[in-house]
Amino acid sequence: MRRAAGIALLFLLVGPSTAGAWELDETAAEPANWGYRPAAGATAAQNPPSFTWRPMKDAAAYSLQVARDAAFEQIVYEVKETPWSAHCPPEPLAAGTYYWRYTAYQVSGARANWSQARSFDVPEDAQIYPRPSLRQMLAKLPAAHPRLFFRPEEIGHLRDLAGGDLQRHADKVIAIAEKTLSNPPDLSEPPLYPEGTARKGEAWKKIWWGNRRHAIAAAGSAADLAFAYQLTGEAKYGEEAKRRLMAVMAWDPKGSTQYNYNDEAAMPLLYWPSRTYTWVHDLLSDEERATVQAVMTVRGQDCYDHLRKRQHLWNPYASHSNRAWHWLAEVAVTFHNEIDAAPEWLDYAMTIFYTCYPVWGGSDGGWHEGTAYWVSYLGRFMYWAFISEAALGIDAFAKPFFSQTGYYGMYTLPPGTNTGAWGDQAQGTTSTRIASFMGMLAAGTGNGHFQWYADTQGFDSANGWFGFIFASRASGIAAKEPADLPASRVFQDTGLAVMNSNLIDGTQNVQLHFKSSPFGRVSH
């Protein structure tokens, strides 16, 4: 990365100054902070554990050490330089007790004192889940386009599926493309708030949400057509996708859809144009590519700067930011070797994923915000789960939380249940609403219980291009009725106990929930 390379050169030229010239801030974490992790005396659920510490205002880089002893005479892992105040190692640790500490450097090379040593245990049964290094991730990326959801060498296979086993799904994709061809969206730039508009007043809300819908309609329709082009090779879809993409690229990235001005309108303009660009890349001229790259540089940098300013690695509880980081990662994958900052964005985004995501649940799969936000936010994350597997070879479902979180849906909403667990809008969440998400979890984890749930609720993935991608990855998991499971379950990480009399049939179930959450009443 450019910033890290500059720091490394500085250290090489001047070397770090004597420890103690700069005092490390080890103030205790506050409730809004992610905290020092692993906490002293913690037992890791994941191996290697991720490490997080308080960021220093003037820090240019940090160092991390992990040792077998509190005196750090037996160092087993060390990061000499990282720009982030969080880190997940690329290799697991042997089972046992360890100690970790960190320090910080200023641009001048001055080093702070080492932090206190914190102990942690790695049990034999901890889930192995190391984070690939940035170099390893970049080496996995396709050199050519497309790069999102599928690789260039997979196009022929997808087209074969479209004409064979997945024709029903392909027909849905084409029907959507034809519909948007005959009924094109408004491609004009969304309006600014009129001068004097009261923030969060009714007039403000109408434009705030209206501009989001406007951006999705314009940029999303281009992506629908671009995927149809990839699936069929028909120029009419690709050319119209390109036209709409370039119309959206004419919008001012510092205008009504700028990230800090309206993040709900800005976020769709991170991922929809990225998908369209990578799927019609061969139809774009050099000039058109340069235009898209320039606009997406601005949009990506604005998102990245916003996350960094909020210190997301230390303060990760903002709901919108928990969508934004993986949309930024899509931009980084798409524009690798085309936008200079893309590797830095990817490294930062994946540091978030491996250290502080998801924030509202732990290794047992529970969710603090309730079933409505569970299915909404994690449903959006599923796009990145598919991208990271195809582009980076990373299995998101092997992370402890994602391997277990289907049980949160199953226990809080047994099939036939019409209201969800505590949380914003959960009262209107039904078991049928989460069926498609449970199907995705089943496909990702290979869990037969999740597949059973999806099947009982009539899950059908034939819903456009993502449904086609999902169906192309599905592996025919055998459904397994959860008769082997207890009817009740405790999700310790979120302080939720769910008691059921009938886990198989929610229409014949008596259910009781108790919640005493360490998160309190924060967020939705």
Side-chain angles (χ1 to χ4, degrees), residues 224-247:
D224 289 337
L225 291 164
F227 186 81
Y229 168 67
Q230 282 292 328
L231 206 58
T232 66
E234 290 192 34
K236 67 175 182 178
Y237 299 129
E239 291 295 338
E240 179 60 13
K242 183 178 79 166
R243 186 185 75 82
R244 296 184 188 187
L245 171 66
M246 299 315 298

Side-chain angles (χ1 to χ4, degrees), residues 182-198:
S182 61
N183 186 27
D186 179 5
L187 298 177
S188 64
E189 185 166 1
L192 293 162
Y193 301 118
E195 187 174 350
T197 302

Side-chain angles (χ1 to χ4, degrees), residues 15 102 191 224 307 322 390 394 455 484 487:
Y102 70 95
D224 289 337
L307 293 170
N322 280 298
I394 292 173
D455 290 348
D484 58 324

Side-chain angles (χ1 to χ4, degrees), residues 339-350:
I339 292 178
D340 289 344
E344 186 171 338
W345 298 345
L346 180 62
D347 192 38
Y348 181 68
M350 295 311 286

Side-chain angles (χ1 to χ4, degrees), residues 281-303:
H281 187 267
D282 62 318
L283 298 179
L284 297 168
S285 67
D286 289 344
E287 182 180 357
E288 288 167 333
R289 292 173 187 172
T291 296
V292 178
Q293 292 160 13
V295 171
M296 298 308 290
T297 296
V298 175
R299 292 197 180 279
Q301 191 65 41
D302 281 347
C303 178

Side-chain angles (χ1 to χ4, degrees), residues 56-110:
M56 291 281 284
K57 181 180 179 181
D58 298 323
Y62 302 91
S63 291
L64 168 72
Q65 290 182 341
V66 180
R68 278 290 197 176
D69 63 306
F72 287 82
E73 294 177 352
Q74 303 174 53
I75 296 173
V76 297
Y77 181 74
E78 184 173 17
V79 181
K80 293 189 175 181
E81 180 192 329
T82 175
W84 323 124
S85 60
H87 178 78
C88 181
E91 299 291 341
L93 301 171
T97 299
Y98 295 88
Y99 299 82
W100 72 278
R101 67 181 184 178
Y102 70 95
T103 187
Y105 294 90
Q106 292 177 320
V107 171
S108 66

Side-chain angles (χ1 to χ4, degrees), residues 70-235:
F72 287 82
E73 294 177 352
Q74 303 174 53
I75 296 173
V76 297
Y77 181 74
E78 184 173 17
V79 181
K80 293 189 175 181
E81 180 192 329
T82 175
W84 323 124
S85 60
H87 178 78
C88 181
E91 299 291 341
L93 301 171
T97 299
Y98 295 88
Y99 299 82
W100 72 278
R101 67 181 184 178
Y102 70 95
T103 187
Y105 294 90
Q106 292 177 320
V107 171
S108 66
R111 177 173 73 79
N113 54 291
W114 283 101
S115 71
Q116 64 176 282
R118 293 176 171 85
S119 67
F120 64 95
D121 293 318
V122 176
E124 291 279 0
D125 61 351
Q127 176 68 41
I128 303 298
Y129 200 65
R131 196 209 105 152
S133 68
L134 177 61
R135 181 176 296 178
Q136 289 170 326
M137 288 190 288
L138 296 180
K140 289 276 189 180
L141 285 175
H145 291 269
R147 294 173 177 167
L148 299 179
F149 299 97
F150 54 94
R151 304 170 69 90
E153 61 268 24
E154 295 181 283
I155 295 172
H157 175 62
L158 292 177
R159 289 179 178 177
D160 289 343
L161 290 174
D165 294 344
L166 299 186
Q167 184 173 347
R168 177 174 69 92
H169 299 267
D171 289 345
K172 289 274 189 178
V173 172
I174 302 309
I176 291 170
E178 288 292 337
K179 182 177 180 180
T180 192
L181 277 179
S182 61
N183 186 27
D186 179 5
L187 298 177
S188 64
E189 185 166 1
L192 293 162
Y193 301 118
E195 187 174 350
T197 302
R199 180 172 171 78
K200 295 192 176 181
E202 289 305 312
W204 182 92
K205 288 179 182 178
K206 184 176 180 179
I207 297 174
W208 170 70
W209 199 252
N211 284 4
R212 175 185 184 272
R213 291 184 174 183
H214 188 121
I216 290 173
S221 70
D224 289 337
L225 291 164
F227 186 81
Y229 168 67
Q230 282 292 328
L231 206 58
T232 66
E234 290 192 34

